[in-house]
Amino acid sequence: MTLEILGVEGIPEIEAGADLGELIAKAGAYQDGDVLVITSKIVSKAEGRLLRAADREAAIDAESVRLVARRGPIRIVENRNGFVMAAAGVDTSNTAPGTVLLLPEDPDASARALRARLQRLTGRRLAVLVTDTFGRPWRNGLTDVAIGAAGLSALEDHRGRTDGHGNTLEQTVVATADELAAAADLVKGKTSGVPVAVVRGLGHLVTAEDGEGVRPLVRPSVDDMFRLGTSEALRQAVTLRRTVRSFTAEPVDPAAVRRAVAAAVTAPAPHHTTPWRFVLLESAATRVRLLDAMLDAWRRDLRELDGWDEERIARRTARGDVLRDAPYLVVPCLVTDGAHDYPDPRRATAEREMFTVAAGAAVQNLLVALAGEGYGSAWVSSTMFCRATVREALDLPDGWDPMGAVAVGRPAEAPRARPERSAEAFIAVR
């Protein structure tokens, strides 16, 4: 196979409304099966996507649908076409001061229109790629990728084929459009003034139909294991940490809970102590034994200490159903080994509170980490009201103080939307 990559020279500076197809057709000689790789910059200019904008950040905001990661002034975002890229593709290079160039509004539609125009003018069977420059996770440097395609399958699926050793390929899906975009950029370059290249010798890839465009290349965010930057992932996990009171029957992965506990025990603690223990109730029989013992203790206290009747007791104890219905429970416990012994009650109280705050920080870490694992949770305080009963039911040491219980499972339904809570109402500045 012989493969040629040829730069198309002589294309003038593009103005809004230009007949880009005609300019490209006149600038080169084309053959059946050629793939024309066109820099998005000239497509955007022809489509009038050059804007006067004193504030580039505002232009990025307008083109973005989701912040993926931010570090200093650099933003990686998802734009309206689903591309995850720096600055939503808003460009200020090779444009007049005070202007910004946006990506084509629909690059696939641009590719289809250019293909139709070029095939009509040249009489050739062609494919068209519209490309832009992207960075890549875990790799330094930039490369061109396809953001619009017509007349070419963006992906080539090799799954089910065999390699030279007879092994069946199970995962290999090649991003053909991106490979062509990167290869063509070797002759286009970033400063050469050659915005179009022809890839010749791959006519078997050119299809009669326009095809699906680049949509198959765009990984849905729900399938992207790295869809957020570190700080954004943490903020989203905190946001997702909503109290869940209804779970599916799907079993909870014990390894995921242990990873969450590993995050929990990174919480700050006084005096270089480790004042947390986490009791994992992985046995249904153990959960039932604990909850039945707690229910008996609650009923006794409400009847004897508070004088409640059975109907009122039933309504109050029904709140514990979230623990009984959950497929997994965690009982966090506070251990005050290492606490200082103060004879002064005020200082003794403060010492206990320091350890309690540390336990709360660990529980928050646990809940956030569980959200990151895709699990819902509900922290319920009930074990704190019958600690002796819990210690007896779970055979825990006397020094372990249960600090509530955490129900864990897959949420049975999406949490209701709630308005964003501003921090200002909770801040006092002195």
Side-chain angles (χ1 to χ4, degrees), residues 306-343:
D306 299 313
W308 287 16
D309 59 31
E310 289 302 320
E311 182 179 352
R312 189 177 182 187
I313 290 173
R315 289 198 304 270
R316 177 63 182 83
T317 56
R319 299 179 188 178
D321 287 349
V322 63
L323 298 178
R324 198 170 289 273
D325 296 340
Y328 198 106
L329 294 181
V330 179
V331 178
C333 295
L334 172 64
V335 177
T336 56
D337 294 346
H340 294 175
D341 186 13
Y342 291 107

Side-chain angles (χ1 to χ4, degrees), residues 39-321:
T39 300
S40 64
K41 193 179 295 290
I42 64 171
V43 178
S44 293
K45 289 180 177 180
E47 294 180 355
R49 298 283 282 167
L50 185 68
L51 302 179
R52 291 282 173 189
D55 186 352
R56 179 171 180 259
E57 296 304 308
I60 295 171
D61 290 341
E63 291 295 298
S64 303
V65 297
R66 178 172 67 91
L67 175 67
V68 175
R70 178 196 294 272
R71 182 168 295 176
I74 299 173
R75 279 193 284 170
I76 306 297
V77 302
E78 178 183 338
N79 79 351
R80 65 189 65 192
N81 291 304
F83 305 137
V84 175
M85 59 194 309
V90 175
D91 198 354
T92 56
S93 62
N94 294 313
T95 64
T99 63
V100 297
L101 189 64
L102 311 181
L103 291 180
E105 190 167 356
D106 183 344
D108 279 332
S110 301
R112 292 192 294 269
L114 280 169
R115 184 193 191 211
R117 180 69 168 147
L118 284 162
Q119 290 192 138
R120 186 161 55 249
L121 292 171
T122 65
R124 301 296 188 181
R125 181 175 59 89
L126 306 171
V128 169
L129 295 180
V130 177
T131 69
D132 195 59
T133 303
F134 277 43
R136 294 140 315 137
W138 314 293
R139 306 281 286 187
N140 286 322
L142 304 171
T143 187
D144 260 28
V145 302
I147 65 169
L152 181 84
S153 294
L155 294 175
E156 186 174 1
D157 194 343
H158 291 264
R159 290 173 296 183
R161 303 180 189 178
T162 56
D163 62 17
H165 295 280
N167 299 309
T168 300
L169 302 177
E170 297 181 355
Q171 301 293 334
T172 306
V173 181
V174 176
T176 306
D178 283 350
E179 291 188 326
L180 290 170
D185 200 48
L186 294 173
V187 300
K188 291 192 292 152
K190 304 303 177 191
T191 59
S192 64
V194 178
V196 179
V198 175
V199 179
R200 184 167 291 161
L202 296 175
H204 62 284
L205 297 179
V206 178
T207 59
E209 300 79 19
D210 285 334
E212 297 181 78
V214 300
R215 299 310 305 170
L217 285 170
V218 178
R219 189 191 303 273
S221 60
V222 295
D223 297 332
D224 187 354
M225 295 176 66
F226 309 100
R227 65 187 297 265
L228 294 170
T230 303
S231 59
E232 288 73 26
L234 176 60
R235 281 195 290 271
Q236 182 167 102
V238 170
T239 301
L240 289 173
R241 197 231 53 76
R242 302 276 297 277
T243 296
V244 173
R245 299 189 178 279
S246 178
F247 303 96
T248 70
E250 178 184 340
V252 172
D253 178 9
V257 178
R258 283 162 172 77
R259 290 192 293 270
V261 171
V265 299
T266 65
H271 312 318
H272 306 288
T273 60
T274 53
W276 328 277
R277 303 294 184 269
F278 293 88
V279 186
L280 310 184
L281 306 190
E282 298 179 347
S283 160
T286 300
R287 294 195 294 274
V288 170
R289 183 174 70 249
L290 170 66
L291 296 174
D292 284 350
M294 289 173 57
L295 181 60
D296 289 343
W298 268 87
R299 283 174 171 162
R300 183 175 59 253
D301 286 349
L302 292 172
R303 183 171 52 250
E304 297 177 2
L305 299 179
D306 299 313
W308 287 16
D309 59 31
E310 289 302 320
E311 182 179 352
R312 189 177 182 187
I313 290 173
R315 289 198 304 270
R316 177 63 182 83
T317 56
R319 299 179 188 178
D321 287 349

Side-chain angles (χ1 to χ4, degrees), residues 3-34:
L3 182 66
E4 293 181 280
I5 305 174
L6 311 168
V8 178
E9 300 182 352
I11 296 175
E13 181 66 26
I14 303 300
E15 302 289 342
D19 187 338
L20 187 57
E22 182 178 25
L23 293 173
I24 294 172
K26 289 180 177 178
Y30 307 104
Q31 299 179 10
D32 282 342
D34 282 351

